[in-house]
Amino acid sequence: VKLNDVADLAGVSLATASKALNNRLDVSAVTRTKVLQAAAELGFIPNALARGLIAGKSHTVGILTNDLQGRFVPQIMFGAEVEIGRESSTVLLANSDGDPRRQQHQIQALLERRVDGLIVVDEWMETRPPIDVIGETPVVYAFGMSADPNDTSVVPDVRRGGLMAVEHLVSRGRRRIAHIGGDLGAYSAEERAAGYADGLAVAGLLLDPRRVFRGTYSESAGWEATGRLLESDIEFDAIFAGNDQIARGAIDRLHDAGLHVPGDVAIVGYDNWEVLSLHGRLPITTLDMRLDVLGSSAVRQLYGETRLSGKILVAPELVIRESTVGRTS
Amino acid sequence: VKLNDVADLAGVSLATASKALNNRLDVSAVTRTKVLQAAAELGFIPNALARGLIAGKSHTVGILTNDLQGRFVPQIMFGAEVEIGRESSTVLLANSDGDPRRQQHQIQALLERRVDGLIVVDEWMETRPPIDVIGETPVVYAFGMSADPNDTSVVPDVRRGGLMAVEHLVSRGRRRIAHIGGDLGAYSAEERAAGYADGLAVAGLLLDPRRVFRGTYSESAGWEATGRLLESDIEFDAIFAGNDQIARGAIDRLHDAGLHVPGDVAIVGYDNWEVLSLHGRLPITTLDMRLDVLGSSAVRQLYGETRLSGKILVAPELVIRESTVGRTS
DNA sequence: TTGTAGGCGTTATCAA
DNA sequence: TTGATAACGCCTACAA
């Protein structure tokens, strides 16, 4: 069933039917009603391919990722999808699963479908080579950062998050704040550590290197580093953990040592990974990167008149839970 | 740059250029090379909208979900995306976020774009009303089950998973196997409990109702139920947990009681949620629902000649880890 | 206010 | 083996 059929049933011309359905002004109210009725009766669904062919655009945005299963990508996609829907467009999804050859295929497929723009979403906050697009299609990077500084990359402000974590702990009266961070060399981990240093500086506290541990982003790393802290003679009344897994490991270790969280030691995590931070043994105060906001920002960059170059930072949000403000604190 | 430009540069007609690029037989080798060269030189990208307009299909599958952020949906999408790529099609993604009005919009948008089929992915394994599609577009449900038995629904065989869990524990010499299950009334929880009963029956063991606990799918539920088991005089040497969160809660509780896992009590979880099952304090033996397989099965149903009606079950896979075969067991 | 006709980029059907 | 030409379904000047 096509527009022609609708026009026939309504007893008008193809052109008039088109105008009526597209809410154009130069159609009488009676005609419009007739056409709408006919369309409804026939269950008419306009063909977006034909429309797109004429318009030269598809009302479609491509999202290119290489890790659908990660924990960050889906959240970013969520935010992006909402914003794309707001532009009455839809999402064309392509996942390369880390295979560059496959990715090139995917890009081709998306360009053939004439996406209005492309969002490249990484699972890791690292600098990455720009993708290879021929033509004018605008591209925005999300979470991962393009190596080309002229590209637009939307990323979480994790350094700020480190600062906020420390500020919060200081506001809870903590002064001897340790840091158990993630992988050495990882951008996100370095930035969080830098933010930690910022926070201490702002509070006028000395950064004691013996209170800083760096390992992997895992429970066991948090567990072990906390163990070493306990075994040493270094005093500490709070830990800023590089992520919620580390935080969970730290909490379990403190608990096993008979210490109370946050009574004896307050904990701040990062990522707000709810299975750990909200539904775990003890709800954890943590920094939410607002990946939904990040996703929608990326889309707005795509649609905006002027695309900013370089990194666009998205502020995190501190989510306060019992690991810093428990009743016994 | 369009096909016409390529034809001009190659010095052939539009029709010939088309044939050359589509690997049709009736083109001389020389001409084909000329055309391919011209296309490469111009960076020609065929317009899929024009193609789709003629073919009447878009080489695109719609994935409709209402919870992008869940932990099951992304995995299912992953499997589906791979399989859809294999058919050299792409994914049109739409997320209604649980809003029925929005969902109707999304369906409309996907149909307008002439998707070749629709996959409806739920975050919960529950019976759900079929979606309202006008026209011939085939629909397959994944994870959630359509209330209409004529529809095709691809779901994990969780009952079988319960059976496999018990069989595994029995094979490890356990005889007094407790079950801490998920929400009463939840399909997945009921089926897992039924599988637990199956497993005991197969092994010739008596189902002691005092060894069965039902609560929520949470760490705290696992923690508490295990506590009650410990406080009672009921003997148990293993727990089949309804999911990995419950399993983790149980493990922590046993640990706090000074018991060894799996030495004193072996634990099997469900879902293979890796943050808990693999990267947690103790790697957990668990059942993986093979959601990637589920996703690709759904796609195969869509593309297959004959679509099966009713539930299509996907077998789970037992992932053996230290919570049942630790060194001290 | 309505209708006619041309065109969007491609493929497919015929003739040449 | 090649090339005109008519679709595909819709939108939009422009004419009536």
Side-chain angles (χ1 to χ4, degrees), chain B:
Chain B
V1 41
K2 44 199 198 186
L3 188 54
N4 224 330
D5 305 329
V6 176
D8 285 355
L9 180 59
V12 299
S13 80
L14 180 63
T16 310
S18 170
K19 289 171 196 161
L21 287 175
N22 290 302
N23 288 321
R24 307 197 47 110
L25 307 164
D26 45 2
V27 180
S28 77
V30 225
T31 321
R32 165 165 297 127
T33 327
K34 267 194 305 186
V35 173
L36 289 177
Q37 252 170 13
E41 197 170 328
L42 295 174
F44 171 67
I45 298 177
N47 188 325
L49 295 124
R51 280 186 167 166
L53 185 54
I54 297 171
K57 56 175 302 198
S58 61
H59 278 281
T60 278
V61 173
I63 295 189
L64 204 58
T65 174
N66 47 39
D67 192 347
L68 260 185
Q69 319 224 55
R71 64 185 186 283
F72 302 130
V73 171
Q75 283 196 55
I76 297 169
M77 276 179 33
F78 170 76
E81 201 272 349
V82 170
E83 193 68 24
I84 289 168
R86 222 177 299 245
E87 301 278 348
S88 59
S89 293
T90 50
V91 175
L92 261 176
L93 178 67
N95 172 34
S96 69
D97 209 24
D99 177 355
R101 270 174 44 91
R102 233 190 121 188
Q103 188 181 65
Q104 207 49 47
H105 269 125
Q106 312 260 32
I107 294 175
Q108 175 79 12
L110 295 180
L111 293 180
E112 288 185 1
R113 283 165 179 78
R114 294 299 186 263
V115 290
D116 303 333
L118 229 34
I119 296 182
V120 180
V121 185
D122 280 314
E123 174 65 12
W124 304 108
M125 270 187 79
E126 299 291 343
T127 302
R128 49 154 297 150
I131 64 167
D132 193 18
V133 210
I134 42 188
E136 301 291 276
T137 316
V139 179
V140 171
Y141 296 82
F143 211 65
M145 300 161 284
S146 170
D148 183 342
N150 295 316
D151 288 340
T152 309
S153 305
V154 186
V155 295
D157 191 347
V158 284
R159 178 158 185 169
R160 180 133 217 287
L163 171 71
M164 289 165 72
V166 173
E167 275 183 339
H168 172 64
L169 288 168
V170 169
S171 81
R172 303 299 302 169
R174 310 300 163 131
R175 292 290 176 274
R176 287 155 305 182
I177 303 170
H179 175 50
I180 307 178
D183 310 70
L184 271 174
Y187 177 88
S188 65
E190 299 300 340
E191 289 287 299
R192 287 166 200 196
Y196 163 74
D198 293 347
L200 293 182
V202 166
L205 297 172
L206 227 61
L207 194 163
D208 184 341
R210 294 174 311 157
R211 288 208 188 95
V212 177
F213 293 77
R214 291 290 293 279
T216 61
Y217 276 129
S218 66
E219 275 195 44
S220 58
W223 169 278
E224 278 164 24
T226 305
R228 272 184 284 149
L229 265 173
L230 290 170
E231 286 154 15
S232 72
D233 55 354
I234 306 161
E235 295 187 319
F236 66 105
D237 54 13
I239 298 174
F240 167 44
N243 75 355
D244 294 332
Q245 288 175 282
I246 294 174
R248 172 64 182 263
I251 289 172
D252 282 358
R253 187 67 184 79
L254 292 167
H255 178 94
D256 283 6
L259 292 174
H260 185 267
V261 176
D264 300 309
V265 180
I267 307 275
V268 175
Y270 214 110
D271 294 349
N272 196 16
W273 199 1
E274 296 199 337
V275 59
L276 296 168
S277 66
L278 182 56
H279 302 298
R281 136 183 267 171
L282 175 81
I284 304 174
T285 294
T286 187
L287 283 136
D288 190 306
M289 294 188 278
R290 304 311 313 273
L291 296 179
D292 50 344
V293 172
L294 192 151
S296 61
S297 300
V299 173
R300 280 203 297 276
Q301 284 298 319
L302 211 54
Y303 280 110
E305 299 296 289
T306 63
R307 245 182 310 288
L308 301 169
S309 287
K311 291 181 205 168
I312 296 172
L313 298 179
V314 175
E317 180 185 356
L318 180 70
V319 179
I320 299 176
R321 300 209 179 91
E322 295 180 31
S323 70
T324 58
V325 296
R327 300 184 199 93
T328 2
S329 92

Side-chain angles (χ1 to χ4, degrees), chain A residues 13 15-16 19 26 31 54:
Chain A
S13 80
T16 310
K19 289 171 196 161
D26 44 2
T31 321
I54 298 171

